């Protein structure tokens, strides 16, 4: 095992293979958790519970509510949230098990998730976190990390 030192502390480093495995484990946990958060949005959309008091996502969607009505918008959000959650969890399982196909479900899930939250946005700059803005940022981070940096 290698070591590197600060002027007063010697810090052990992991061998390359162990470092890569740790990165895969952490990335897999992140992807699975990101997917499971979509199930919270599913529950919000399906009126199982409110993520925050007074939160009405996806009602009032700038793109879907006029076209589909609020119930139709909820149905689309429900289906897409479940599919995206499943996609992220499948990608996490593929990544942790070293499967070469894991990138396809993670890329599809990140793009579909970002599009869903953009379409379900109510057009207001208030309460952006409750409308999926953090999810869009995380989806963008995932896409950049996987497509541009080819990591992990």
């Amino acid at each position: 095992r290698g070591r590197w030192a600060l002027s007063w502390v010697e810090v052990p480093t992991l061998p390359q293979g162990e470092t890569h495995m740790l990165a895969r484990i952490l990335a897999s946990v992140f992807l699975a958790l990101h997917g499971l958060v979509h199930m919270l949005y599913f529950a919000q959309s399906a009126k199982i519970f409110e993520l925050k008091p007074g939160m009405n996502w996806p009602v009032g969607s700038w793109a879907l509510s006029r076209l589909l009505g609020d119930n139709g918008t909820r149905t689309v959000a429900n289906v897409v949230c479940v599919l995206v959650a499943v996609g992220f969890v499948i990608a996490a399982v593929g990544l942790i098990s070293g499967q070469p196909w894991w990138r396809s479900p993670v890329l599809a899930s990140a793009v579909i998730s970002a599009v869903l939250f953009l379409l379900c946005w109510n057009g207001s700059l208030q309460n952006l976190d409750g409308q999926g803005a953090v999810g869009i940022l995380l989806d963008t981070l995932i896409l950049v990390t996987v497509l541009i940096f080819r990591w992990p």
Side-chain angles (χ1 to χ4, degrees), residues 80-117:
V80 174
C81 280
V82 170
L83 292 175
V84 166
V86 169
F88 275 122
V89 171
I90 287 171
V93 170
L95 175 59
I96 194 72
S97 62
Q99 300 301 315
W101 49 259
W102 72 271
R103 280 185 170 85
S104 295
V106 81
L107 294 174
S109 296
V111 168
I112 293 168
S113 169
V115 169
L116 171 70
F117 285 116

PDB file of all heavy atoms in Angstrom, residues 80-117:
ATOM      1  N   VAL A  80     -43.646   7.977 -14.780  1.00  0.00           N
ATOM      2  CA  VAL A  80     -42.251   8.314 -15.089  1.00  0.00           C
ATOM      3  C   VAL A  80     -41.380   8.233 -13.837  1.00  0.00           C
ATOM      4  O   VAL A  80     -40.250   7.731 -13.906  1.00  0.00           O
ATOM      5  CB  VAL A  80     -42.164   9.697 -15.768  1.00  0.00           C
ATOM      6  CG1 VAL A  80     -40.714  10.124 -15.955  1.00  0.00           C
ATOM      7  CG2 VAL A  80     -42.886   9.667 -17.113  1.00  0.00           C
ATOM      8  N   CYS A  81     -41.874   8.675 -12.700  1.00  0.00           N
ATOM      9  CA  CYS A  81     -41.081   8.585 -11.464  1.00  0.00           C
ATOM     10  C   CYS A  81     -40.739   7.139 -11.130  1.00  0.00           C
ATOM     11  O   CYS A  81     -39.605   6.832 -10.743  1.00  0.00           O
ATOM     12  CB  CYS A  81     -41.811   9.241 -10.291  1.00  0.00           C
ATOM     13  SG  CYS A  81     -41.671  11.030 -10.264  1.00  0.00           S
ATOM     14  N   VAL A  82     -41.699   6.254 -11.266  1.00  0.00           N
ATOM     15  CA  VAL A  82     -41.435   4.834 -10.982  1.00  0.00           C
ATOM     16  C   VAL A  82     -40.422   4.269 -11.974  1.00  0.00           C
ATOM     17  O   VAL A  82     -39.472   3.583 -11.587  1.00  0.00           O
ATOM     18  CB  VAL A  82     -42.741   4.009 -10.977  1.00  0.00           C
ATOM     19  CG1 VAL A  82     -42.446   2.523 -10.916  1.00  0.00           C
ATOM     20  CG2 VAL A  82     -43.627   4.433  -9.806  1.00  0.00           C
ATOM     21  N   LEU A  83     -40.597   4.560 -13.259  1.00  0.00           N
ATOM     22  CA  LEU A  83     -39.662   4.050 -14.265  1.00  0.00           C
ATOM     23  C   LEU A  83     -38.241   4.577 -14.043  1.00  0.00           C
ATOM     24  O   LEU A  83     -37.265   3.828 -14.158  1.00  0.00           O
ATOM     25  CB  LEU A  83     -40.141   4.412 -15.668  1.00  0.00           C
ATOM     26  CG  LEU A  83     -41.414   3.712 -16.136  1.00  0.00           C
ATOM     27  CD1 LEU A  83     -41.851   4.254 -17.487  1.00  0.00           C
ATOM     28  CD2 LEU A  83     -41.225   2.203 -16.182  1.00  0.00           C
ATOM     29  N   VAL A  84     -38.128   5.849 -13.716  1.00  0.00           N
ATOM     30  CA  VAL A  84     -36.815   6.439 -13.462  1.00  0.00           C
ATOM     31  C   VAL A  84     -36.185   5.813 -12.215  1.00  0.00           C
ATOM     32  O   VAL A  84     -34.990   5.499 -12.212  1.00  0.00           O
ATOM     33  CB  VAL A  84     -36.932   7.975 -13.336  1.00  0.00           C
ATOM     34  CG1 VAL A  84     -35.674   8.581 -12.747  1.00  0.00           C
ATOM     35  CG2 VAL A  84     -37.231   8.592 -14.692  1.00  0.00           C
ATOM     36  N   ALA A  85     -36.978   5.625 -11.168  1.00  0.00           N
ATOM     37  CA  ALA A  85     -36.449   4.999  -9.949  1.00  0.00           C
ATOM     38  C   ALA A  85     -35.916   3.603 -10.251  1.00  0.00           C
ATOM     39  O   ALA A  85     -34.809   3.243  -9.842  1.00  0.00           O
ATOM     40  CB  ALA A  85     -37.541   4.936  -8.877  1.00  0.00           C
ATOM     41  N   VAL A  86     -36.697   2.827 -10.991  1.00  0.00           N
ATOM     42  CA  VAL A  86     -36.265   1.469 -11.362  1.00  0.00           C
ATOM     43  C   VAL A  86     -34.992   1.538 -12.206  1.00  0.00           C
ATOM     44  O   VAL A  86     -34.053   0.766 -12.001  1.00  0.00           O
ATOM     45  CB  VAL A  86     -37.401   0.722 -12.100  1.00  0.00           C
ATOM     46  CG1 VAL A  86     -36.899  -0.565 -12.734  1.00  0.00           C
ATOM     47  CG2 VAL A  86     -38.547   0.433 -11.143  1.00  0.00           C
ATOM     48  N   GLY A  87     -34.936   2.474 -13.147  1.00  0.00           N
ATOM     49  CA  GLY A  87     -33.749   2.615 -13.986  1.00  0.00           C
ATOM     50  C   GLY A  87     -32.497   2.927 -13.196  1.00  0.00           C
ATOM     51  O   GLY A  87     -31.434   2.335 -13.437  1.00  0.00           O
ATOM     52  N   PHE A  88     -32.593   3.844 -12.231  1.00  0.00           N
ATOM     53  CA  PHE A  88     -31.420   4.182 -11.417  1.00  0.00           C
ATOM     54  C   PHE A  88     -30.996   2.998 -10.545  1.00  0.00           C
ATOM     55  O   PHE A  88     -29.800   2.746 -10.382  1.00  0.00           O
ATOM     56  CB  PHE A  88     -31.686   5.415 -10.548  1.00  0.00           C
ATOM     57  CG  PHE A  88     -31.446   6.717 -11.248  1.00  0.00           C
ATOM     58  CD1 PHE A  88     -32.463   7.650 -11.370  1.00  0.00           C
ATOM     59  CD2 PHE A  88     -30.209   7.030 -11.786  1.00  0.00           C
ATOM     60  CE1 PHE A  88     -32.257   8.860 -12.009  1.00  0.00           C
ATOM     61  CE2 PHE A  88     -29.981   8.246 -12.430  1.00  0.00           C
ATOM     62  CZ  PHE A  88     -31.011   9.166 -12.546  1.00  0.00           C
ATOM     63  N   VAL A  89     -31.951   2.284  -9.982  1.00  0.00           N
ATOM     64  CA  VAL A  89     -31.607   1.123  -9.152  1.00  0.00           C
ATOM     65  C   VAL A  89     -30.974   0.017 -10.004  1.00  0.00           C
ATOM     66  O   VAL A  89     -29.975  -0.588  -9.601  1.00  0.00           O
ATOM     67  CB  VAL A  89     -32.837   0.616  -8.364  1.00  0.00           C
ATOM     68  CG1 VAL A  89     -32.544  -0.700  -7.673  1.00  0.00           C
ATOM     69  CG2 VAL A  89     -33.272   1.671  -7.335  1.00  0.00           C
ATOM     70  N   ILE A  90     -31.510  -0.225 -11.190  1.00  0.00           N
ATOM     71  CA  ILE A  90     -30.908  -1.220 -12.090  1.00  0.00           C
ATOM     72  C   ILE A  90     -29.483  -0.801 -12.458  1.00  0.00           C
ATOM     73  O   ILE A  90     -28.568  -1.628 -12.463  1.00  0.00           O
ATOM     74  CB  ILE A  90     -31.781  -1.410 -13.344  1.00  0.00           C
ATOM     75  CG1 ILE A  90     -33.047  -2.184 -12.986  1.00  0.00           C
ATOM     76  CG2 ILE A  90     -31.012  -2.128 -14.461  1.00  0.00           C
ATOM     77  CD1 ILE A  90     -34.073  -2.244 -14.108  1.00  0.00           C
ATOM     78  N   ALA A  91     -29.295   0.480 -12.753  1.00  0.00           N
ATOM     79  CA  ALA A  91     -27.954   0.980 -13.074  1.00  0.00           C
ATOM     80  C   ALA A  91     -27.002   0.783 -11.898  1.00  0.00           C
ATOM     81  O   ALA A  91     -25.843   0.381 -12.083  1.00  0.00           O
ATOM     82  CB  ALA A  91     -28.019   2.448 -13.463  1.00  0.00           C
ATOM     83  N   ALA A  92     -27.480   1.040 -10.686  1.00  0.00           N
ATOM     84  CA  ALA A  92     -26.646   0.864  -9.495  1.00  0.00           C
ATOM     85  C   ALA A  92     -26.234  -0.589  -9.321  1.00  0.00           C
ATOM     86  O   ALA A  92     -25.072  -0.888  -9.023  1.00  0.00           O
ATOM     87  CB  ALA A  92     -27.388   1.359  -8.250  1.00  0.00           C
ATOM     88  N   VAL A  93     -27.180  -1.507  -9.533  1.00  0.00           N
ATOM     89  CA  VAL A  93     -26.872  -2.945  -9.436  1.00  0.00           C
ATOM     90  C   VAL A  93     -25.854  -3.328 -10.510  1.00  0.00           C
ATOM     91  O   VAL A  93     -24.891  -4.066 -10.245  1.00  0.00           O
ATOM     92  CB  VAL A  93     -28.159  -3.797  -9.549  1.00  0.00           C
ATOM     93  CG1 VAL A  93     -27.834  -5.274  -9.699  1.00  0.00           C
ATOM     94  CG2 VAL A  93     -29.052  -3.562  -8.334  1.00  0.00           C
ATOM     95  N   GLY A  94     -26.040  -2.830 -11.727  1.00  0.00           N
ATOM     96  CA  GLY A  94     -25.095  -3.122 -12.795  1.00  0.00           C
ATOM     97  C   GLY A  94     -23.714  -2.578 -12.504  1.00  0.00           C
ATOM     98  O   GLY A  94     -22.703  -3.247 -12.747  1.00  0.00           O
ATOM     99  N   LEU A  95     -23.626  -1.367 -11.974  1.00  0.00           N
ATOM    100  CA  LEU A  95     -22.339  -0.766 -11.654  1.00  0.00           C
ATOM    101  C   LEU A  95     -21.628  -1.529 -10.553  1.00  0.00           C
ATOM    102  O   LEU A  95     -20.450  -1.879 -10.688  1.00  0.00           O
ATOM    103  CB  LEU A  95     -22.526   0.704 -11.255  1.00  0.00           C
ATOM    104  CG  LEU A  95     -21.268   1.439 -10.784  1.00  0.00           C
ATOM    105  CD1 LEU A  95     -20.190   1.437 -11.856  1.00  0.00           C
ATOM    106  CD2 LEU A  95     -21.628   2.863 -10.381  1.00  0.00           C
ATOM    107  N   ILE A  96     -22.324  -1.833  -9.467  1.00  0.00           N
ATOM    108  CA  ILE A  96     -21.683  -2.501  -8.332  1.00  0.00           C
ATOM    109  C   ILE A  96     -21.234  -3.913  -8.700  1.00  0.00           C
ATOM    110  O   ILE A  96     -20.244  -4.406  -8.181  1.00  0.00           O
ATOM    111  CB  ILE A  96     -22.601  -2.523  -7.079  1.00  0.00           C
ATOM    112  CG1 ILE A  96     -21.815  -2.899  -5.819  1.00  0.00           C
ATOM    113  CG2 ILE A  96     -23.745  -3.476  -7.235  1.00  0.00           C
ATOM    114  CD1 ILE A  96     -20.910  -1.834  -5.340  1.00  0.00           C
ATOM    115  N   SER A  97     -21.952  -4.531  -9.634  1.00  0.00           N
ATOM    116  CA  SER A  97     -21.593  -5.900 -10.032  1.00  0.00           C
ATOM    117  C   SER A  97     -20.640  -5.920 -11.229  1.00  0.00           C
ATOM    118  O   SER A  97     -20.321  -6.990 -11.744  1.00  0.00           O
ATOM    119  CB  SER A  97     -22.846  -6.719 -10.326  1.00  0.00           C
ATOM    120  OG  SER A  97     -23.556  -6.161 -11.408  1.00  0.00           O
ATOM    121  N   GLY A  98     -20.201  -4.745 -11.671  1.00  0.00           N
ATOM    122  CA  GLY A  98     -19.205  -4.667 -12.732  1.00  0.00           C
ATOM    123  C   GLY A  98     -19.736  -4.979 -14.122  1.00  0.00           C
ATOM    124  O   GLY A  98     -18.965  -5.360 -15.004  1.00  0.00           O
ATOM    125  N   GLN A  99     -21.023  -4.795 -14.335  1.00  0.00           N
ATOM    126  CA  GLN A  99     -21.619  -5.075 -15.646  1.00  0.00           C
ATOM    127  C   GLN A  99     -21.317  -3.931 -16.620  1.00  0.00           C
ATOM    128  O   GLN A  99     -21.371  -2.763 -16.235  1.00  0.00           O
ATOM    129  CB  GLN A  99     -23.129  -5.261 -15.518  1.00  0.00           C
ATOM    130  CG  GLN A  99     -23.537  -6.387 -14.607  1.00  0.00           C
ATOM    131  CD  GLN A  99     -22.977  -7.720 -15.082  1.00  0.00           C
ATOM    132  OE1 GLN A  99     -23.030  -8.045 -16.248  1.00  0.00           O
ATOM    133  NE2 GLN A  99     -22.431  -8.479 -14.145  1.00  0.00           N
ATOM    134  N   PRO A 100     -21.019  -4.250 -17.867  1.00  0.00           N
ATOM    135  CA  PRO A 100     -20.684  -3.199 -18.829  1.00  0.00           C
ATOM    136  C   PRO A 100     -21.893  -2.372 -19.285  1.00  0.00           C
ATOM    137  O   PRO A 100     -21.727  -1.282 -19.830  1.00  0.00           O
ATOM    138  CB  PRO A 100     -20.092  -3.979 -20.010  1.00  0.00           C
ATOM    139  CG  PRO A 100     -20.679  -5.343 -19.904  1.00  0.00           C
ATOM    140  CD  PRO A 100     -20.889  -5.597 -18.431  1.00  0.00           C
ATOM    141  N   TRP A 101     -23.110  -2.837 -19.039  1.00  0.00           N
ATOM    142  CA  TRP A 101     -24.319  -2.181 -19.523  1.00  0.00           C
ATOM    143  C   TRP A 101     -24.877  -1.127 -18.576  1.00  0.00           C
ATOM    144  O   TRP A 101     -25.887  -0.487 -18.891  1.00  0.00           O
ATOM    145  CB  TRP A 101     -25.411  -3.207 -19.817  1.00  0.00           C
ATOM    146  CG  TRP A 101     -25.631  -4.193 -18.711  1.00  0.00           C
ATOM    147  CD1 TRP A 101     -25.172  -5.477 -18.665  1.00  0.00           C
ATOM    148  CD2 TRP A 101     -26.352  -3.993 -17.484  1.00  0.00           C
ATOM    149  NE1 TRP A 101     -25.555  -6.086 -17.499  1.00  0.00           N
ATOM    150  CE2 TRP A 101     -26.280  -5.193 -16.748  1.00  0.00           C
ATOM    151  CE3 TRP A 101     -27.047  -2.918 -16.930  1.00  0.00           C
ATOM    152  CZ2 TRP A 101     -26.877  -5.351 -15.495  1.00  0.00           C
ATOM    153  CZ3 TRP A 101     -27.633  -3.064 -15.679  1.00  0.00           C
ATOM    154  CH2 TRP A 101     -27.548  -4.267 -14.979  1.00  0.00           C
ATOM    155  N   TRP A 102     -24.271  -0.899 -17.423  1.00  0.00           N
ATOM    156  CA  TRP A 102     -24.860  -0.035 -16.406  1.00  0.00           C
ATOM    157  C   TRP A 102     -25.060   1.402 -16.888  1.00  0.00           C
ATOM    158  O   TRP A 102     -25.953   2.102 -16.424  1.00  0.00           O
ATOM    159  CB  TRP A 102     -24.042  -0.057 -15.122  1.00  0.00           C
ATOM    160  CG  TRP A 102     -22.731   0.671 -15.220  1.00  0.00           C
ATOM    161  CD1 TRP A 102     -21.520   0.152 -15.614  1.00  0.00           C
ATOM    162  CD2 TRP A 102     -22.497   2.054 -14.945  1.00  0.00           C
ATOM    163  NE1 TRP A 102     -20.566   1.126 -15.602  1.00  0.00           N
ATOM    164  CE2 TRP A 102     -21.134   2.306 -15.190  1.00  0.00           C
ATOM    165  CE3 TRP A 102     -23.307   3.095 -14.523  1.00  0.00           C
ATOM    166  CZ2 TRP A 102     -20.557   3.555 -15.022  1.00  0.00           C
ATOM    167  CZ3 TRP A 102     -22.738   4.350 -14.351  1.00  0.00           C
ATOM    168  CH2 TRP A 102     -21.364   4.567 -14.598  1.00  0.00           C
ATOM    169  N   ARG A 103     -24.223   1.860 -17.829  1.00  0.00           N
ATOM    170  CA  ARG A 103     -24.321   3.256 -18.269  1.00  0.00           C
ATOM    171  C   ARG A 103     -25.639   3.552 -19.003  1.00  0.00           C
ATOM    172  O   ARG A 103     -26.179   4.647 -18.886  1.00  0.00           O
ATOM    173  CB  ARG A 103     -23.128   3.601 -19.162  1.00  0.00           C
ATOM    174  CG  ARG A 103     -21.874   3.905 -18.397  1.00  0.00           C
ATOM    175  CD  ARG A 103     -20.745   4.359 -19.335  1.00  0.00           C
ATOM    176  NE  ARG A 103     -19.626   4.868 -18.577  1.00  0.00           N
ATOM    177  CZ  ARG A 103     -18.671   4.117 -18.068  1.00  0.00           C
ATOM    178  NH1 ARG A 103     -18.699   2.807 -18.257  1.00  0.00           N
ATOM    179  NH2 ARG A 103     -17.683   4.655 -17.388  1.00  0.00           N
ATOM    180  N   SER A 104     -26.143   2.590 -19.769  1.00  0.00           N
ATOM    181  CA  SER A 104     -27.376   2.841 -20.532  1.00  0.00           C
ATOM    182  C   SER A 104     -28.555   3.199 -19.637  1.00  0.00           C
ATOM    183  O   SER A 104     -29.218   4.227 -19.866  1.00  0.00           O
ATOM    184  CB  SER A 104     -27.713   1.639 -21.410  1.00  0.00           C
ATOM    185  OG  SER A 104     -26.719   1.463 -22.388  1.00  0.00           O
ATOM    186  N   PRO A 105     -28.860   2.400 -18.603  1.00  0.00           N
ATOM    187  CA  PRO A 105     -30.001   2.796 -17.760  1.00  0.00           C
ATOM    188  C   PRO A 105     -29.748   4.071 -16.961  1.00  0.00           C
ATOM    189  O   PRO A 105     -30.691   4.828 -16.711  1.00  0.00           O
ATOM    190  CB  PRO A 105     -30.237   1.587 -16.846  1.00  0.00           C
ATOM    191  CG  PRO A 105     -29.012   0.768 -16.925  1.00  0.00           C
ATOM    192  CD  PRO A 105     -28.362   1.070 -18.239  1.00  0.00           C
ATOM    193  N   VAL A 106     -28.505   4.329 -16.575  1.00  0.00           N
ATOM    194  CA  VAL A 106     -28.263   5.551 -15.803  1.00  0.00           C
ATOM    195  C   VAL A 106     -28.414   6.777 -16.699  1.00  0.00           C
ATOM    196  O   VAL A 106     -28.989   7.792 -16.284  1.00  0.00           O
ATOM    197  CB  VAL A 106     -26.904   5.533 -15.069  1.00  0.00           C
ATOM    198  CG1 VAL A 106     -25.743   5.910 -15.958  1.00  0.00           C
ATOM    199  CG2 VAL A 106     -26.926   6.478 -13.876  1.00  0.00           C
ATOM    200  N   LEU A 107     -27.938   6.708 -17.934  1.00  0.00           N
ATOM    201  CA  LEU A 107     -28.075   7.847 -18.844  1.00  0.00           C
ATOM    202  C   LEU A 107     -29.541   8.084 -19.199  1.00  0.00           C
ATOM    203  O   LEU A 107     -30.012   9.228 -19.170  1.00  0.00           O
ATOM    204  CB  LEU A 107     -27.238   7.618 -20.102  1.00  0.00           C
ATOM    205  CG  LEU A 107     -25.724   7.593 -19.889  1.00  0.00           C
ATOM    206  CD1 LEU A 107     -25.008   7.210 -21.174  1.00  0.00           C
ATOM    207  CD2 LEU A 107     -25.212   8.916 -19.345  1.00  0.00           C
ATOM    208  N   ALA A 108     -30.259   7.023 -19.521  1.00  0.00           N
ATOM    209  CA  ALA A 108     -31.682   7.160 -19.846  1.00  0.00           C
ATOM    210  C   ALA A 108     -32.453   7.720 -18.653  1.00  0.00           C
ATOM    211  O   ALA A 108     -33.279   8.631 -18.805  1.00  0.00           O
ATOM    212  CB  ALA A 108     -32.256   5.809 -20.273  1.00  0.00           C
ATOM    213  N   SER A 109     -32.184   7.197 -17.469  1.00  0.00           N
ATOM    214  CA  SER A 109     -32.906   7.653 -16.275  1.00  0.00           C
ATOM    215  C   SER A 109     -32.612   9.108 -15.962  1.00  0.00           C
ATOM    216  O   SER A 109     -33.524   9.874 -15.616  1.00  0.00           O
ATOM    217  CB  SER A 109     -32.539   6.770 -15.079  1.00  0.00           C
ATOM    218  OG  SER A 109     -32.970   5.458 -15.296  1.00  0.00           O
ATOM    219  N   ALA A 110     -31.355   9.525 -16.093  1.00  0.00           N
ATOM    220  CA  ALA A 110     -31.000  10.915 -15.792  1.00  0.00           C
ATOM    221  C   ALA A 110     -31.652  11.876 -16.782  1.00  0.00           C
ATOM    222  O   ALA A 110     -32.178  12.921 -16.382  1.00  0.00           O
ATOM    223  CB  ALA A 110     -29.480  11.085 -15.801  1.00  0.00           C
ATOM    224  N   VAL A 111     -31.646  11.531 -18.058  1.00  0.00           N
ATOM    225  CA  VAL A 111     -32.263  12.409 -19.061  1.00  0.00           C
ATOM    226  C   VAL A 111     -33.774  12.480 -18.846  1.00  0.00           C
ATOM    227  O   VAL A 111     -34.365  13.568 -18.824  1.00  0.00           O
ATOM    228  CB  VAL A 111     -31.931  11.922 -20.493  1.00  0.00           C
ATOM    229  CG1 VAL A 111     -32.790  12.635 -21.526  1.00  0.00           C
ATOM    230  CG2 VAL A 111     -30.450  12.123 -20.787  1.00  0.00           C
ATOM    231  N   ILE A 112     -34.415  11.339 -18.674  1.00  0.00           N
ATOM    232  CA  ILE A 112     -35.868  11.312 -18.484  1.00  0.00           C
ATOM    233  C   ILE A 112     -36.267  12.035 -17.206  1.00  0.00           C
ATOM    234  O   ILE A 112     -37.252  12.783 -17.176  1.00  0.00           O
ATOM    235  CB  ILE A 112     -36.390   9.857 -18.506  1.00  0.00           C
ATOM    236  CG1 ILE A 112     -36.205   9.269 -19.915  1.00  0.00           C
ATOM    237  CG2 ILE A 112     -37.841   9.787 -18.074  1.00  0.00           C
ATOM    238  CD1 ILE A 112     -36.403   7.768 -19.985  1.00  0.00           C
ATOM    239  N   SER A 113     -35.496  11.852 -16.145  1.00  0.00           N
ATOM    240  CA  SER A 113     -35.774  12.541 -14.882  1.00  0.00           C
ATOM    241  C   SER A 113     -35.698  14.051 -15.059  1.00  0.00           C
ATOM    242  O   SER A 113     -36.600  14.786 -14.632  1.00  0.00           O
ATOM    243  CB  SER A 113     -34.766  12.079 -13.819  1.00  0.00           C
ATOM    244  OG  SER A 113     -34.847  12.887 -12.673  1.00  0.00           O
ATOM    245  N   ALA A 114     -34.629  14.532 -15.684  1.00  0.00           N
ATOM    246  CA  ALA A 114     -34.472  15.978 -15.874  1.00  0.00           C
ATOM    247  C   ALA A 114     -35.611  16.538 -16.729  1.00  0.00           C
ATOM    248  O   ALA A 114     -36.169  17.601 -16.415  1.00  0.00           O
ATOM    249  CB  ALA A 114     -33.119  16.276 -16.515  1.00  0.00           C
ATOM    250  N   VAL A 115     -35.980  15.828 -17.792  1.00  0.00           N
ATOM    251  CA  VAL A 115     -37.078  16.274 -18.652  1.00  0.00           C
ATOM    252  C   VAL A 115     -38.394  16.300 -17.863  1.00  0.00           C
ATOM    253  O   VAL A 115     -39.177  17.258 -17.960  1.00  0.00           O
ATOM    254  CB  VAL A 115     -37.190  15.386 -19.910  1.00  0.00           C
ATOM    255  CG1 VAL A 115     -38.485  15.662 -20.664  1.00  0.00           C
ATOM    256  CG2 VAL A 115     -35.979  15.598 -20.817  1.00  0.00           C
ATOM    257  N   LEU A 116     -38.637  15.265 -17.066  1.00  0.00           N
ATOM    258  CA  LEU A 116     -39.859  15.235 -16.251  1.00  0.00           C
ATOM    259  C   LEU A 116     -39.941  16.456 -15.345  1.00  0.00           C
ATOM    260  O   LEU A 116     -40.969  17.144 -15.302  1.00  0.00           O
ATOM    261  CB  LEU A 116     -39.921  13.967 -15.403  1.00  0.00           C
ATOM    262  CG  LEU A 116     -41.061  13.947 -14.366  1.00  0.00           C
ATOM    263  CD1 LEU A 116     -42.411  13.820 -15.063  1.00  0.00           C
ATOM    264  CD2 LEU A 116     -40.852  12.843 -13.355  1.00  0.00           C
ATOM    265  N   PHE A 117     -38.869  16.739 -14.612  1.00  0.00           N
ATOM    266  CA  PHE A 117     -38.917  17.850 -13.667  1.00  0.00           C
ATOM    267  C   PHE A 117     -39.009  19.196 -14.389  1.00  0.00           C
ATOM    268  O   PHE A 117     -39.665  20.115 -13.893  1.00  0.00           O
ATOM    269  CB  PHE A 117     -37.750  17.796 -12.692  1.00  0.00           C
ATOM    270  CG  PHE A 117     -37.921  16.726 -11.645  1.00  0.00           C
ATOM    271  CD1 PHE A 117     -37.045  15.657 -11.566  1.00  0.00           C
ATOM    272  CD2 PHE A 117     -38.979  16.765 -10.759  1.00  0.00           C
ATOM    273  CE1 PHE A 117     -37.212  14.661 -10.621  1.00  0.00           C
ATOM    274  CE2 PHE A 117     -39.165  15.781  -9.810  1.00  0.00           C
ATOM    275  CZ  PHE A 117     -38.279  14.725  -9.737  1.00  0.00           C
TER     276      PHE A 117
END
